Amino acid sequence: GENIGAGDRRRTLKVTFSSYAISFSCVTLSSLLCLLLREPLLSLFVPNQPEAIAYGVICNNYLVGTAFLLGIIVTNNQLVQAFGFTTYQMVVSLICMCGFRMLWLAGVYSHFTTFECLMITYPLSWTLNVLFVIPLIIYCLSAYRRGKDFKL
């Protein structure tokens, strides 16, 4: 936000792309570690309970395996906030994180009551969130790069 306020376009774009790279790298590295060590890690919390560990592995696969999306969402949130579009991001998050999941539970999950069907709502809602915010970010960055004021 400070670079935007100072009008330092080059640094703003550099920091933006660096933030995405750092976020993606850190989340991906930690996710890979959690995926590789999922059973030993889960065994620390639920020793000698193979059924609980099996459910934990399913959670791990859906949540940790797609955690990079959360890194993108957090970076998107910060970028959109820096450009002054906090309400848009809040509404998108509510629709994707809450509304979509509620619709999924009422529509799809009511017909396919499996744990996997429940867990898939997380990466799907995260993907929707990213897809709904990308056009705003592209708009903001392109307008900012050209030196124009941006308004919705």
Side-chain angles (χ1 to χ4, degrees), residues 1-149:
E2 291 85 9
N3 292 315
I4 293 171
D8 191 343
R9 286 178 170 67
R10 183 191 58 76
R11 186 170 174 137
T12 299
L13 296 174
K14 181 180 175 183
V15 168
T16 296
F17 294 114
S18 295
S19 297
Y20 280 112
I22 291 168
S23 173
F24 184 80
S25 300
C26 291
V27 171
T28 301
L29 180 62
S30 59
S31 294
L32 284 173
L33 286 172
C34 287
L35 285 170
L36 291 173
L37 301 171
R38 63 184 163 226
E39 291 187 29
L41 287 173
L42 290 167
S43 296
L44 293 173
F45 296 98
V46 285
N48 302 321
Q49 295 184 20
E51 188 175 344
I53 291 172
Y55 277 105
V57 166
I58 293 169
C59 284
N60 194 301
N61 292 342
Y62 281 102
L63 302 180
V64 177
T66 57
F68 70 93
L69 291 169
L70 286 176
I72 293 171
I73 289 170
V74 169
T75 306
N76 285 349
N77 288 348
Q78 293 168 346
L79 184 60
V80 169
Q81 183 179 5
F83 280 113
F85 292 107
T86 54
T87 304
Y88 179 86
Q89 179 60 38
M90 177 194 63
V91 170
V92 167
S93 291
L94 281 172
I95 290 170
C96 293
M97 304 291 185
C98 296
F100 172 77
R101 290 178 190 171
M102 289 170 37
L103 288 173
W104 182 273
L105 291 175
V108 177
Y109 184 71
S110 62
H111 298 293
F112 305 99
T113 55
T114 65
F115 189 60
E116 289 85 355
C117 186
L118 181 64
M119 295 309 298
I120 193 72
T121 60
Y122 292 96
L124 288 176
S125 64
W126 297 337
T127 302
L128 282 175
N129 186 295
V130 169
L131 292 176
F132 276 104
V133 175
I134 283 175
L136 176 63
I137 290 173
I138 291 170
Y139 169 74
C140 289
L141 288 175
S142 65
Y144 187 73
R145 183 178 283 150
R146 290 189 312 268
K148 296 184 178 182
D149 288 336

